[in-house]
Amino acid sequence: ALAVSEVVNPEATYQSPLEILTVTGPDAGHASVVLRAAAGDGILVGPWWPDQKGLLYWIEPQYSKQAEADGLALMSTPLSGVEPVSLGTSLVNPAWLTWTADGRIFVVMGGGPYPSAGKNLELCVPDSGACQPVPVPAGDVSLDPALSPDGLQVAFVVAQVAPVATATWFATRRLWVADV
Protein backbone atom coordinates (compact mmCIF):
# COMPACT_ATOMS: atom_id res chain seq x y z
CA ALA A 1 0.00 0.00 0.00
CA LEU A 2 1.00 3.61 -0.53
CA ALA A 3 0.21 6.57 1.71
CA VAL A 4 -0.75 9.60 -0.39
CA SER A 5 -2.12 13.08 0.10
CA GLU A 6 -3.46 15.31 -2.60
CA VAL A 7 -4.39 18.94 -3.11
CA VAL A 8 -7.68 19.62 -4.81
CA ASN A 9 -8.67 23.16 -5.81
CA PRO A 10 -9.72 25.46 -4.38
CA GLU A 11 -6.87 25.07 -1.89
CA ALA A 12 -8.38 27.59 0.53
CA THR A 13 -11.41 25.44 1.33
CA TYR A 14 -10.45 21.89 0.45
CA GLN A 15 -9.62 19.46 3.25
CA SER A 16 -6.64 17.46 1.96
CA PRO A 17 -7.12 13.76 2.56
CA LEU A 18 -4.50 11.34 3.80
CA GLU A 19 -5.28 8.15 1.91
CA ILE A 20 -4.00 4.61 1.81
CA LEU A 21 -3.92 3.29 -1.75
CA THR A 22 -3.82 -0.49 -2.23
CA VAL A 23 -1.48 -1.36 -5.06
CA THR A 24 -1.61 -5.18 -5.22
CA GLY A 25 -4.08 -7.99 -4.72
CA PRO A 26 -7.83 -8.08 -5.23
CA ASP A 27 -8.29 -4.54 -3.80
CA ALA A 28 -5.66 -2.96 -6.07
CA GLY A 29 -6.63 0.61 -6.89
CA HIS A 30 -8.83 1.01 -3.80
CA ALA A 31 -8.15 4.12 -1.72
CA SER A 32 -9.33 4.56 1.86
CA VAL A 33 -9.27 7.94 3.60
CA VAL A 34 -7.49 7.83 6.96
CA LEU A 35 -8.13 11.48 7.86
CA ARG A 36 -8.57 14.95 6.43
CA ALA A 37 -6.66 18.13 7.21
CA ALA A 38 -8.48 21.26 8.33
CA ALA A 39 -9.85 23.40 5.49
CA GLY A 40 -7.01 25.00 3.56
CA ASP A 41 -4.25 22.92 5.18
CA GLY A 42 -2.01 20.41 3.47
CA ILE A 43 -0.58 17.09 4.56
CA LEU A 44 3.00 16.07 3.89
CA VAL A 45 3.26 12.28 4.12
CA GLY A 46 6.05 10.91 6.30
CA PRO A 47 7.25 7.37 6.90
CA TRP A 48 5.21 4.32 7.85
CA TRP A 49 5.57 2.88 11.33
CA PRO A 50 7.89 -0.16 11.13
CA ASP A 51 4.95 -2.53 11.77
CA GLN A 52 2.97 -0.82 8.95
CA LYS A 53 0.07 -0.14 11.37
CA GLY A 54 0.40 3.63 11.23
CA LEU A 55 2.33 6.49 9.73
CA LEU A 56 3.77 9.91 10.39
CA TYR A 57 2.81 13.10 8.59
CA TRP A 58 3.22 16.85 8.87
CA ILE A 59 0.40 19.41 8.78
CA GLU A 60 1.23 22.31 6.44
CA PRO A 61 -0.96 25.30 7.41
CA GLN A 62 -2.43 26.95 4.31
CA TYR A 63 0.07 25.02 2.15
CA SER A 64 2.69 27.53 3.33
CA LYS A 65 6.27 26.82 2.28
CA GLN A 66 7.36 29.52 4.77
CA ALA A 67 5.68 27.61 7.58
CA GLU A 68 7.36 24.43 6.32
CA ALA A 69 10.78 26.14 6.44
CA ASP A 70 10.14 27.12 10.08
CA GLY A 71 8.90 23.69 11.19
CA LEU A 72 5.57 21.91 11.13
CA ALA A 73 3.52 19.82 13.52
CA LEU A 74 4.72 16.22 13.18
CA MET A 75 1.71 13.96 13.66
CA SER A 76 1.41 10.22 14.15
CA THR A 77 -1.69 8.23 13.30
CA PRO A 78 -2.47 4.56 13.64
CA LEU A 79 -4.52 3.10 10.80
CA SER A 80 -6.95 1.60 13.31
CA GLY A 81 -9.14 4.70 13.50
CA VAL A 82 -7.66 6.03 16.76
CA GLU A 83 -7.15 9.80 16.81
CA PRO A 84 -3.75 11.09 15.64
CA VAL A 85 -1.29 12.44 18.21
CA SER A 86 1.23 15.26 17.91
CA LEU A 87 4.88 14.41 18.47
CA GLY A 88 5.94 18.07 18.34
CA THR A 89 7.34 20.57 15.85
CA SER A 90 10.03 19.47 13.43
CA LEU A 91 11.43 20.35 10.05
CA VAL A 92 10.33 18.16 7.16
CA ASN A 93 13.59 16.23 6.99
CA PRO A 94 13.35 12.44 6.71
CA ALA A 95 17.04 12.16 7.67
CA TRP A 96 16.07 13.49 11.11
CA LEU A 97 13.72 10.53 11.73
CA THR A 98 15.28 7.23 12.85
CA TRP A 99 13.24 4.18 13.91
CA THR A 100 14.38 1.81 16.65
CA ALA A 101 13.86 -1.95 16.53
CA ASP A 102 11.09 -1.72 19.16
CA GLY A 103 9.03 0.77 17.12
CA ARG A 104 10.06 4.02 18.80
CA ILE A 105 11.50 6.87 16.77
CA PHE A 106 14.29 9.38 17.26
CA VAL A 107 13.17 12.78 15.96
CA VAL A 108 15.03 16.07 15.76
CA MET A 109 12.42 18.43 17.22
CA GLY A 110 12.29 22.19 16.99
CA GLY A 111 11.38 25.00 14.67
CA GLY A 112 13.32 27.58 12.75
CA PRO A 113 15.21 27.15 9.51
CA TYR A 114 18.71 26.78 10.98
CA PRO A 115 20.07 23.53 12.45
CA SER A 116 22.18 25.61 14.84
CA ALA A 117 19.26 26.83 16.98
CA GLY A 118 16.27 25.24 18.66
CA LYS A 119 16.89 21.63 17.62
CA ASN A 120 16.89 18.73 20.07
CA LEU A 121 16.90 14.98 19.58
CA GLU A 122 13.96 13.24 21.24
CA LEU A 123 12.88 9.61 21.49
CA CYS A 124 9.16 9.25 20.81
CA VAL A 125 6.48 6.58 21.05
CA PRO A 126 4.42 7.02 17.88
CA ASP A 127 1.09 5.68 19.13
CA SER A 128 0.96 7.76 22.34
CA GLY A 129 2.89 10.87 21.29
CA ALA A 130 5.11 10.63 24.38
CA CYS A 131 8.58 12.03 23.70
CA GLN A 132 11.68 12.22 25.90
CA PRO A 133 14.59 14.54 25.10
CA VAL A 134 17.99 12.90 24.71
CA PRO A 135 20.13 14.70 27.32
CA VAL A 136 22.85 17.03 26.05
CA PRO A 137 24.61 19.95 27.76
CA ALA A 138 22.65 23.19 28.14
CA GLY A 139 23.33 25.56 25.28
CA ASP A 140 23.74 22.77 22.71
CA VAL A 141 21.61 21.43 19.87
CA SER A 142 21.42 17.75 18.90
CA LEU A 143 20.93 16.54 15.32
CA ASP A 144 21.45 13.82 12.74
CA PRO A 145 20.54 10.56 14.53
CA ALA A 146 21.86 7.25 13.20
CA LEU A 147 21.18 3.87 14.79
CA SER A 148 23.98 1.36 15.27
CA PRO A 149 23.70 -1.87 13.22
CA ASP A 150 22.71 -3.84 16.35
CA GLY A 151 20.06 -1.22 17.24
CA LEU A 152 21.39 -0.75 20.77
CA GLN A 153 22.97 2.69 20.38
CA VAL A 154 22.27 5.94 18.58
CA ALA A 155 24.96 8.25 17.27
CA PHE A 156 24.15 11.93 16.81
CA VAL A 157 25.76 15.35 16.44
CA VAL A 158 25.92 17.83 19.32
CA ALA A 159 26.90 21.45 18.67
CA GLN A 160 26.71 24.81 20.40
CA VAL A 161 23.60 26.89 19.84
CA ALA A 162 24.16 29.73 17.37
CA PRO A 163 21.79 32.10 15.55
CA VAL A 164 22.92 30.81 12.14
CA ALA A 165 24.99 27.87 10.92
CA THR A 166 28.34 29.48 10.09
CA ALA A 167 31.83 27.99 9.77
CA THR A 168 32.37 28.88 13.44
CA TRP A 169 29.28 26.88 14.38
CA PHE A 170 30.33 23.88 12.26
CA ALA A 171 33.61 23.79 14.21
CA THR A 172 31.65 23.16 17.46
CA ARG A 173 30.08 19.90 16.21
CA ARG A 174 30.89 16.72 18.13
CA LEU A 175 29.79 13.13 17.62
CA TRP A 176 27.96 11.60 20.58
CA VAL A 177 26.79 8.02 21.17
CA ALA A 178 24.05 6.99 23.62
CA ASP A 179 22.29 3.77 24.51
CA VAL A 180 18.82 3.43 23.03
Side-chain angles (χ1 to χ4, degrees):
L2 297 173
V4 296
S5 182
E6 62 181 315
V7 177
V8 176
N9 290 322
E11 292 176 3
T13 58
Y14 190 73
Q15 294 177 290
S16 287
L18 177 60
E19 298 175 308
I20 305 301
L21 177 63
T22 304
V23 294
T24 63
D27 292 333
H30 173 74
S32 60
V33 176
V34 176
L35 55 89
R36 291 185 184 278
D41 291 348
I43 295 174
L44 301 173
V45 179
W48 288 87
W49 295 1
D51 64 6
Q52 308 299 302
K53 293 182 180 177
L55 54 96
L56 302 181
Y57 63 96
W58 290 269
I59 295 292
E60 187 176 42
Q62 303 300 304
Y63 300 95
S64 169
K65 293 301 177 189
Q66 179 61 45
E68 183 179 335
D70 288 335
L72 301 176
L74 176 61
M75 305 295 292
S76 180
T77 187
L79 300 181
S80 63
V82 175
E83 288 294 313
V85 295
S86 174
L87 299 180
T89 298
S90 75
L91 295 180
V92 180
N93 185 345
W96 284 0
L97 305 172
T98 301
W99 290 100
T100 65
D102 64 1
R104 295 178 294 166
I105 187 168
F106 283 103
V107 180
V108 176
M109 294 289 191
Y114 300 108
S116 56
K119 306 298 182 293
N120 297 295
L121 186 61
E122 297 189 20
L123 183 58
C124 301
V125 180
D127 58 351
S128 72
C131 294
Q132 292 288 334
V134 175
V136 297
D140 283 353
V141 295
S142 47
L143 315 159
D144 301 326
L147 213 55
S148 64
D150 64 7
L152 299 177
Q153 295 181 307
V154 62
F156 56 99
V157 172
V158 174
Q160 293 176 355
V161 170
V164 294
T166 63
T168 304
W169 175 76
F170 280 98
T172 72
R173 296 178 302 163
R174 303 170 310 279
L175 183 62
W176 279 39
V177 176
D179 291 336
V180 171

